[in-house]
Amino acid sequence: TCALPILWARLSPAVRGVLIYADPRHNSELAYYTNYVPRLEPALALISRDDTPIMLPSDPPSMWGAAKRLTWVEEFAPLKHAHVVLAEWKAGATGGPVTTLGFNAMPPALHRTIAVALGGMALPDATPTARELMRVKRPREVQALRDCAETLKAASDALRQAQQSGANAAAAVLETERAALTAGAQDARILYSVDGGRSFRPFADLSDVKASPLLAYIAVRRFGYWTDGFVTADQASTLHNVVRNALQDMIANAKAGSPMAALASHPFPPHAMTRASFGAVLGTGLEDDPLTIGPRVVGSTSLAGALGLAVGQGGGATDDGEQLQDGAVYSLRVGTSENDAHALASAIVLVREGGNEVLWTSP
């Protein structure tokens, strides 16, 4: 709730409420401001400047007990009654102009229902403003990301240990997920490669195929915050060492005020998984703010598409002239392909004035 006064201060005093939409693929704003993450179906929150906030989940009331333990919002109503709740709020003493977060991901039918309930009231989008505020992390957020990075380390260690024990690729991925959840992850998403890093796929079956080298992309969520990274669970190849050196250069250049272009300059062609984006701003969303140079990436990158994530909903994190921000946490990624060889490496970096702190790096 301490983030809400900062948001209110950036909005016009005339704005009386904020409507936040979320679904299982796109929920960073709702998670940030309410701690609530919808697991299966969409949810809406009405945060009023002067009245009690209301959460409107798709889940039936019988499931609200568990949901209420996740959020500070106490009043719940079914999403199917959103038109009634919003119409009553608009007609009440505290009702008035609203702004929206995350509405670019909302189904048109629900958008029409809300517009009708609010009597055709304008629904301006404040998602870019919220994203800007969300990028710079407060001390408790930094600690949450530190803990999340420790969970990522536990998962990556488990992958390497399983590979060294002779496990097949599917068994190694299952052990990685188990280790992440045991270490406190709320969610874990893993892509892995059985063709030396040329392509990545999610877990699909208990295949006995072994992979050497075994490469994986691991993303874990803890305390509502995400960290992610690429892991090679074998002895490093010559190409992998080249990528690791490039990653070290990226880390060295990751300082507050440094131009984003300085991070993306390396002489070799990028891997398919890093071609569209060389990283992301980390927080309560995964791939919501991809790091790109030049035109904004709209739609799914290969990485986000494979994970079933929505990209391009709230304004780009980078552009040609953008700089790294003091207090932001970045996922940095380097990858390349050369003939039939492939290599990827990544790091989680907290940027500060004059330097940075590495929270995690590919082993």
Side-chain angles (χ1 to χ4, degrees):
T1 58
C2 61
L4 280 169
I6 301 174
L7 178 63
W8 288 126
R10 290 290 297 272
L11 300 176
S12 167
V15 173
R16 308 319 299 168
V18 176
L19 283 171
I20 311 176
Y21 172 81
D23 57 39
R25 296 178 64 189
H26 177 90
N27 51 59
S28 57
E29 294 86 18
L30 189 66
Y32 186 78
Y33 286 107
T34 72
N35 299 332
Y36 182 79
V37 177
R39 300 289 296 182
L40 300 174
E41 299 290 342
L44 186 70
L46 170 61
I47 309 297
S48 174
R49 194 186 287 265
D50 305 306
D51 205 351
T52 304
I54 303 174
M55 186 71 66
L56 298 120
S58 298
D59 302 330
S62 60
M63 298 178 64
W64 290 355
K68 287 184 176 181
R69 289 195 290 270
L70 301 176
T71 177
W72 56 269
V73 178
E74 298 179 355
E75 186 169 342
F76 275 48
L79 181 61
K80 63 182 180 181
H81 295 162
H83 62 292
V84 176
V85 171
L86 294 176
E88 290 179 349
W89 176 79
K90 177 178 179 291
T94 61
V98 299
T99 192
T100 64
L101 302 180
F103 268 40
N104 285 344
M106 179 180 288
L110 180 57
H111 195 284
R112 287 193 295 269
T113 298
I114 291 173
V116 170
L118 293 174
M121 182 185 296
L123 301 175
D125 182 21
T127 305
T129 297
R131 290 279 176 82
E132 180 185 344
L133 297 173
M134 292 163 63
R135 286 176 197 154
V136 177
K137 303 300 185 286
R138 302 185 304 277
R140 288 189 181 183
E141 293 181 90
V142 172
Q143 185 56 53
L145 282 159
R146 289 187 203 280
D147 293 339
C148 197
E150 285 297 316
T151 303
L152 178 61
K153 181 180 184 301
S156 60
D157 288 348
L159 180 75
R160 298 186 66 186
Q161 291 166 10
Q163 174 75 348
Q164 292 167 7
S165 72
N168 61 56
V173 168
L174 287 177
E175 180 59 24
T176 302
E177 182 179 53
R178 185 201 66 79
L181 297 175
T182 300
Q186 297 168 270
D187 195 359
R189 303 183 185 185
I190 303 172
L191 304 174
Y192 66 105
S193 176
V194 295
D195 54 12
R198 184 180 67 84
S199 63
F200 285 73
R201 65 185 187 184
F203 178 84
D205 53 54
L206 293 172
S207 168
D208 59 1
V209 173
K210 292 187 177 182
S212 183
L214 175 60
L215 282 76
Y217 167 82
I218 306 171
V220 298
R221 189 178 211 167
R222 188 176 181 187
F223 302 123
Y225 288 80
W226 286 98
T227 53
D228 69 343
F230 287 102
V231 178
T232 301
D234 299 86
Q235 186 172 354
S237 64
T238 300
L239 189 61
H240 183 78
N241 287 331
V242 170
V243 167
R244 287 283 303 180
N245 290 336
L247 178 65
Q248 292 304 315
D249 289 341
M250 288 181 75
I251 294 172
N253 289 323
K255 302 175 182 179
S258 296
M260 203 68 69
L263 300 182
S265 58
H266 49 71
F268 45 78
H271 189 280
M273 298 286 275
T274 59
R275 185 176 298 125
S277 168
F278 61 90
V281 181
L282 289 179
T284 54
L286 184 60
E287 289 295 310
D288 277 332
D289 272 329
L291 304 182
T292 63
I293 299 297
R296 173 73 172 99
V297 174
V298 178
S300 295
T301 64
S302 56
L303 174 59
L307 289 170
L309 297 169
V311 177
Q313 299 292 345
T318 62
D319 207 345
D320 287 337
E322 185 131 358
Q323 298 176 339
L324 293 169
Q325 290 182 266
D326 180 22
V329 177
Y330 297 90
S331 172
L332 304 179
R333 307 163 191 157
V334 183
T336 191
S337 297
E338 184 178 281
N339 299 324
D340 291 328
H342 312 273
L344 292 146
S346 55
I348 308 298
V349 178
L350 168 62
V351 169
R352 295 297 194 193
E353 287 287 351
N356 61 58
E357 177 185 350
V358 178
L359 305 185
W360 178 89
T361 187
S362 298

